[in-house]
């Protein structure tokens, strides 16, 4: 599994400082985080496009503040992948998923220990070591078109 880059962590902490006042409402059911949510902090993602936002580079993260949600530790990621991609997901620094995809649209269900969630700030980190430029004129290094993350 990938190690954490201190430079990236310090940049993320600065951005999270600005983000700190946002908090999802306290929910007891499913928490849906769409690609265009303004209640989460997207780092390492490109601008929103129609229905999704691309990860840019080999690491991207999504941070959110949780209240007293009663979540069971089930997640569903809706995403598209650019060609062959490996995806590793960490929640608050703990790896919770690893998979390989040959491109296209995917619904990825994964389970994690609910104890990994904190009251307050939580970060999902997406490691995408196979990110690459697409076969068109787009100069970005892309891997995953994020559509939605749902938590139960």
């Amino acid at each position: 599994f990938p190690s954490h880059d201190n430079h990236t962590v310090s940049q993320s902490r600065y951005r999270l400082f600005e983000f700190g006042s946002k908090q999802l409402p306290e929910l007891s059911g499913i928490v849906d985080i769409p690609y265009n949510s303004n209640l989460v902090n997207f780092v390492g993602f490109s601008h929103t496009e129609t229905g999704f936002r691309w990860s840019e580079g080999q690491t991207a993260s999504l941070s959110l503040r949780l209240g007293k949600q009663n979540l069971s530790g089930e997640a569903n990621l809706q995403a598209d992948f650019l060609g062959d991609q490996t995806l590793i997901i960490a929640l608050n620094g703990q790896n919770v998923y690893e998979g390989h995809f040959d491109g296209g649209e995917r619904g990825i269900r994964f389970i994690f220990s609910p104890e990994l969630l904190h009251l307050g700030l939580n970060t999902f980190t997406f490691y995408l070591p196979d990110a690459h430029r697409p076969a068109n004129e787009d100069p970005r290094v892309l891997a995953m078109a994020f559509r939605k993350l749902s938590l139960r």
Side-chain angles (χ1 to χ4, degrees):
F1 289 120
S3 62
H4 301 281
D5 181 311
N6 288 336
H7 180 69
T8 303
V9 170
S10 64
Q11 286 177 327
S12 295
R13 285 187 182 144
Y14 175 76
R15 290 198 58 192
L16 291 173
F17 172 76
E18 296 174 344
F19 171 72
S21 64
K22 296 181 182 179
Q23 182 152 331
L24 289 173
E26 293 184 6
L27 303 170
S28 60
I30 298 174
V31 176
D32 283 328
I33 304 161
Y35 72 98
N36 60 351
S37 176
N38 62 357
L39 296 176
V40 301
N41 185 37
F42 290 98
V43 174
F45 283 93
S46 191
H47 58 277
T48 60
E49 298 183 38
T50 304
F52 63 91
R53 70 170 65 215
W54 281 109
S55 61
E56 240 185 305
Q58 294 183 325
T59 305
S61 65
L62 176 161
S63 297
L64 61 132
R65 297 184 65 80
L66 293 174
K68 295 179 182 176
Q69 282 86 349
N70 183 20
L71 299 173
S72 66
E74 181 181 331
N76 187 23
L77 172 65
Q78 300 291 320
D80 295 5
F81 292 89
L82 179 64
D84 289 340
Q85 297 292 333
T86 299
L87 170 65
I88 300 167
I89 303 173
L91 170 57
N92 295 326
Q94 297 294 314
N95 292 322
V96 294
Y97 178 83
E98 182 172 359
H100 184 81
F101 305 98
D102 58 0
E105 186 175 346
R106 304 285 181 204
I108 302 165
R109 182 178 174 269
F110 60 96
I111 305 296
F112 58 89
S113 171
E115 287 78 34
L116 292 176
L117 292 169
H118 305 300
L119 183 62
L121 185 64
N122 292 272
T123 300
F124 285 90
T125 305
F126 305 95
Y127 298 101
L128 299 146
D130 303 317
H132 59 274
R133 289 185 57 198
N136 59 25
E137 296 176 10
D138 192 330
R140 298 174 294 173
V141 174
L142 307 175
M144 178 179 71
F146 177 91
R147 294 186 180 277
K148 182 170 72 169
L149 178 65
S150 298
L151 306 175
R152 292 182 185 262

